[in-house]
Amino acid sequence: MTDLPADPLLLSEARRLDAEDPLSGFRDRFHPVPEGTVFLNGASLGRMPAATPALVDEVLRGQWGDRLAHARAQWLDLPRRAGDRIAEVALGARPGEVVVGDCTSVNLYKLAVAALRARPGRATVLVEDDTFPTDRYVLSGVAADAGATLRVLPAHPDLGLDPEVLRDALDDGVALVCLCLVAPRSGALLDMAGITAAVHEAGALMLWDLSHAAGAVPIDLTGCGADLAVGSTYKHLLAGPGSPALLYVRRDLQPLLTQPVQGWYGHRDQLALLPAYEPDPGIRRFLTGSPPVLSIVASGAGLDLIAEAGLDRIRAKSTALTGFFQRLADRELVPRGFRPASPPEPARRGAHLTYERPGAPELVPFFAEAGVFVDPALPDRVRISPVPLSTRFTDLCEAVERMCRVVDVVDGRGEGRTA
């Protein structure tokens, strides 16, 4: 490729960083993307590990194909076993505190209902206004059904929720607080330990949405004393499209919570087919129906890569990549009308950057035609999320140059560089 920036110092630095990158060997352990593609939307859907097809094929042929219904014995405990693996690799949680199943919205519903039931006499649920829309949709319905009030806290669209705004809203009427650890639009990263402590001090339960954090930033659910969490697995955990979500409940809370969607998979005695529902004493009580076996098995390849690389090293490269992109963008994209719309400090954001420009989402298909895959963030933003295990610093140089060429053409300035 020759679409590199004119600044030889930035290009030289990118090549040096690639040569020194301790994670460079992981790039070849993903299914190859089309020649010339620069993939920068890992916050939407992670790349496919090269090992994923073989894992799924083993279930299709070696288990379902060869053993038919007898293979079900291998799948009964799959949601808990997969949950234990995610807990160990990405969440800082203990065995028996995480299961995998359903989608994030359904898991959020289960835990929100369970939390309100566990805080009788309290009738307020807090959420911020820049959270992922499904969280507000689900919590609004849960609050309405319970006769509770959903209170929406204002958050800065670029910098995220100010913890003082949350603290001012906490009182003895709050039952549940639900926040995204990493804001889906801006990438703002919250202080999990500090916020959880403040919520506990007020006597409420804390429910974290980890969809844009799990697999991207180190998380210590146990160390933070977290109560509840949900999150998607198809973004930074690399589990694949439509993969089931994670659900976390701290061990001592499990026997105290009852979830509303009571199904046979959460029964104390799964296979006894008893007429009355008796919840499992542990984390399995939060399951409902048969697990999506193929999707859960597919998640193993991404977890293996994350475990081998280590989240600390993944996080270090992620902040280095987004920081380098910032420098390129300041030089090339900002003069073309793009405004940074994320916290400027890498430590205060997750694995993605956001830029605002009028009509920016309309540029995304043109960027894709130029071989650069980014994510639209309505109404006027694009989201940049390099995947640390597969993205090179020189890829960022190429991506920014191509994006500039697209913008110049759209703006009627031709194909040459003008900044």
Side-chain angles (χ1 to χ4, degrees), residues 53-141:
L55 289 179
V56 175
D57 189 65
E58 167 56 26
V59 177
L60 288 172
R61 300 175 189 273
Q63 296 180 24
W64 180 23
D66 292 346
R67 302 190 62 232
L68 303 173
H70 294 289
R72 289 182 299 181
Q74 299 175 243
W75 307 332
L76 282 174
D77 202 32
L78 187 59
R80 187 192 59 79
R81 285 187 281 116
D84 283 350
R85 181 68 169 150
I86 293 176
E88 174 190 15
V89 171
L91 302 181
R94 296 168 292 188
E97 293 186 322
V98 180
V99 285
V100 177
D102 294 311
C103 64
T104 305
S105 299
V106 171
N107 286 342
L108 187 74
Y109 173 79
K110 291 178 182 180
L111 293 188
V113 171
L116 284 176
R117 288 176 176 175
R119 288 295 185 268
R122 291 173 174 249
T124 301
V125 177
L126 298 182
V127 67
E128 53 135 324
D129 63 1
D130 199 34
T131 191
F132 193 67
T134 197
D135 293 16
R136 289 182 64 172
Y137 304 157
V138 170
L139 294 171
S140 176

Side-chain angles (χ1 to χ4, degrees), residues 261-286:
V261 193
Q262 299 177 169
W264 75 282
Y265 231 80
H267 198 285
R268 174 187 294 272
D269 194 346
Q270 268 183 337
L271 302 179
L273 304 181
L274 298 175
Y277 180 77
E278 297 179 35
D280 184 86
I283 190 65
R284 201 162 50 78
R285 66 171 48 204
F286 298 97

Side-chain angles (χ1 to χ4, degrees), residues 189-319:
L189 173 65
L190 293 176
D191 174 9
M192 174 180 273
I195 288 176
T196 300
V199 170
H200 286 172
E201 187 176 350
L205 289 170
M206 183 70 223
L207 171 53
W208 287 103
D209 185 336
L210 306 177
S211 294
H212 287 84
V217 299
I219 297 171
D220 185 5
L221 291 174
T222 299
C224 291
D227 301 317
L228 313 164
V230 298
S232 65
T233 61
Y234 55 80
K235 302 178 189 295
H236 302 292
L237 290 175
L238 312 173
S243 58
L246 65 93
L247 178 152
Y248 162 86
V249 180
R250 197 176 68 236
R251 185 179 298 161
D252 61 291
L253 282 177
Q254 292 171 15
L256 308 178
L257 301 183
T258 59
Q259 65 112 334
V261 193
Q262 299 177 169
W264 75 282
Y265 231 80
H267 198 285
R268 174 187 294 272
D269 194 346
Q270 268 183 337
L271 302 179
L273 304 181
L274 298 175
Y277 180 77
E278 297 179 35
D280 184 86
I283 190 65
R284 201 162 50 78
R285 66 171 48 204
F286 298 97
L287 295 171
T288 299
S290 299
V293 173
L294 296 178
S295 293
I296 295 180
V297 168
S299 71
L303 288 171
D304 287 346
L305 292 179
I306 294 168
E308 184 179 341
L311 262 175
D312 287 337
R313 292 202 301 174
I314 289 173
R315 174 63 172 164
K317 185 177 176 185
S318 175
T319 57

